[in-house]
Amino acid sequence: MKKKIFSGVQPTGNLHLGNYLGAIKNFVKLNNDDQNNCVFCVVDLHAITVSQDPKKLRNNIRETVATFIASGIDPKKSIIFNQSQVSAHSEAAWILSCIARMGWLNRMTQFKEKAGKDKEKASIGLYSYPVLMAADILLYDSTHVPVGDDQKQHLELCRDIAQKFNNDFGVKDFFKVPEPLIQKEFSRIMSLKDGSKKMSKSDLSDLSRINLTDEKDEIINKIKKAKTDPMPMPSNIEELEKRFEAKNLIGIYASLSGQPLEKTVKEFAGKNFSEFKENLSQVIVDKIIPISVEIKKLLNEKDYLDNILLDGCKKANNIASNKIKKIHEIVGF
Ligand code: AMP
Ligand code: TRP
């Protein structure tokens, strides 16, 4: 039995090194394994849970597809589509929102972070966002969901929703209960300006992240300005636990160079940060610049990108419309 892989990325611009190391790099590996059937979704319905400029949104959808392809996902092997074009996602989200409990959603930390102090002004969509995510996953009988560490709680909720639906309607195994695929190390890349905050698209400071479309000079400058501490480079792994910024930068180096963390710590132990940063910039430039160049090239090929989505939507729709029909029958429509 092939594994069924599903994941989504929001087309909200500024895709960054955290998205790459936490998620997209893993998508590429899964895409390359013939034991897997992969579906990668550009989750535009999720994007509008906070307000979006329509013109920018349309560009960001194409940019996300371009990033998938530039990173190495093969659209002939994997289904790439955008969520809004397969109406079963919205339908299933409504039905599942009648299964999910308020108490479960009230625990979601991402909502609390995103809504901030003024929860009353957050959209209802932002609150029920994880239910739509569950619909995405469950419509495709997904067995494995590769995501960064920040999505772990949403996946647990998805598992709860699947089990409750199966129990409530007495349809054992109708929804597959998916397994999260979260990397053991480097599943949460932190901001370059604050090692206690995750690297994020929405951080107001562009210096806090390496964008996948950055130029070489920007990468070098951002790493030069990245926050560190006044001590020399740590000499053992234990030291990293209290030194967030050092841990993050060493983690990025280890992850991009495919070298174990321990070996990386040893390589730079006791050295100055400035020397390490030169090496770090180099590995980032080597990995990211080819992707950045390819994204920019693909963005000039709008028809190519649109055709990938069109083709992906047809394939996704075949699977999802079949599943939603069965959901209707089970529910009694
Ligand atoms: P998003 O941009 O929020 O749609 O996230 C797309 C994917 O990137 C998800 O699987 C996230 O878990 C992952 N991701 C986002 N930010 C980070 C980060 N700072 N570190 C690791 N993974 C991340
Ligand atoms: N919520 C995810 C994020 O912000 C994106 C997402 C939407 C997703 N639907 C999904 C991820 C289904 C995995 C599976 O990163």
Side-chain angles (χ1 to χ4, degrees):
M1 267 279 277
K2 281 195 170 189
K3 287 184 185 155
K4 292 185 182 169
I5 313 289
F6 188 101
S7 196
V9 174
Q10 297 188 67
T12 36
N14 295 335
L15 278 167
H16 52 71
L17 194 59
N19 295 125
Y20 180 74
L21 292 177
I24 299 172
K25 190 173 149 222
N26 212 3
F27 298 176
V28 176
K29 217 166 87 194
L30 294 161
N31 163 91
N32 291 341
D33 183 341
D34 287 335
Q35 287 311 303
N36 301 327
N37 279 330
C38 299
V39 181
F40 298 115
C41 184
V42 180
V43 291
D44 45 8
L45 296 172
H46 277 105
I48 63 163
T49 55
V50 295
S51 101
Q52 298 291 335
D53 172 340
K55 229 181 182 167
K56 281 195 191 142
L57 178 62
R58 196 162 292 129
N59 281 331
N60 286 336
I61 292 169
R62 290 197 181 102
E63 191 169 309
T64 310
V65 179
T67 304
F68 284 170
I69 311 282
S71 303
I73 295 173
D74 177 359
K76 292 202 183 77
K77 275 181 95 174
S78 296
I79 298 178
I80 297 175
F81 76 106
N82 58 328
Q83 195 186 25
S84 63
Q85 300 308 298
V86 178
S87 59
H89 289 251
S90 313
E91 276 188 62
W94 176 258
I95 295 168
L96 296 181
S97 75
C98 301
I99 303 295
R101 305 288 97 179
M102 294 280 287
W104 300 356
L105 280 160
N106 284 341
R107 286 200 290 272
M108 296 296 115
T109 54
Q110 182 175 291
F111 173 75
K112 290 178 195 160
E113 278 162 25
K114 285 200 176 172
K117 284 200 188 88
D118 205 352
K119 283 198 196 58
E120 300 288 313
K121 286 204 175 129
S123 71
I124 293 171
L126 190 67
Y127 180 72
S128 60
Y129 172 120
V131 180
L132 174 60
M133 180 163 161
D136 299 341
I137 296 167
L138 299 178
L139 278 172
Y140 296 84
D141 294 331
S142 314
T143 57
H144 295 83
V145 182
V147 281
D149 178 65
D150 60 338
Q151 297 300 314
K152 197 172 167 189
Q153 200 183 27
H154 291 163
L155 274 174
E156 279 158 12
L157 183 93
C158 170
R159 291 167 58 90
D160 289 343
I161 292 175
Q163 275 160 344
K164 182 162 164 45
F165 185 97
N166 290 346
N167 284 338
D168 286 0
F169 292 100
V171 282
K172 195 164 174 270
D173 296 333
F174 173 70
F175 281 135
K176 297 280 163 298
V177 181
E179 295 294 331
L181 284 181
I182 300 175
Q183 296 172 94
K184 281 194 198 78
E185 285 182 312
F186 325 120
S187 58
R188 184 179 287 252
I189 303 297
M190 311 310 277
S191 154
L192 299 178
K193 288 276 136 201
D194 178 351
S196 65
K197 256 172 55 184
K198 73 170 183 182
M199 187 177 281
S200 150
K201 292 167 175 172
S202 54
D203 197 312
L204 292 177
S205 167
D206 196 53
L207 288 174
S208 69
R209 63 180 164 262
I210 303 286
N211 300 305
L212 297 180
T213 48
D214 278 347
E215 305 280 344
K216 184 175 173 186
D217 293 350
E218 288 175 287
I219 294 175
I220 293 171
N221 183 42
K222 285 177 180 180
I223 293 301
K224 223 180 240 165
K225 294 203 167 132
K227 189 173 170 204
T228 53
D229 55 45
M231 291 186 287
M233 294 287 290
S235 48
N236 56 58
I237 288 199
E238 291 73 55
E239 238 185 273
L240 291 182
E241 285 321 306
K242 282 182 235 119
R243 297 176 63 185
F244 299 143
E245 281 82 16
K247 181 180 180 184
N248 189 41
L249 295 180
I250 293 175
I252 293 174
Y253 184 96
S255 183
L256 280 175
S257 58
Q259 177 171 288
L261 191 62
E262 203 165 352
K263 196 167 165 221
T264 309
V265 171
K266 250 191 206 149
E267 188 180 340
F268 296 101
K271 294 192 172 154
N272 289 331
F273 270 103
S274 57
E275 188 183 339
F276 166 68
K277 280 182 166 183
E278 275 174 32
N279 286 275
L280 176 61
S281 293
Q282 195 57 50
V283 291
I284 300 178
V285 165
D286 287 350
K287 191 75 206 179
I288 299 305
I289 291 302
I291 295 177
S292 168
V293 168
E294 187 63 16
I295 293 174
K296 285 168 194 152
K297 192 188 122 217
L298 287 169
L299 284 175
N300 289 319
E301 300 174 27
K302 283 199 178 123
D303 288 349
Y304 172 67
L305 297 175
D306 291 352
N307 279 328
I308 287 175
L309 285 177
L310 213 63
D311 182 51
C313 285
K314 274 187 211 145
K315 291 178 184 156
N317 198 39
N318 275 342
I319 303 171
S321 60
N322 204 6
K323 192 78 178 174
I324 195 81
K325 257 191 222 145
K326 291 185 187 149
I327 296 174
H328 278 206
E329 275 166 31
I330 290 170
V331 169
F333 290 162

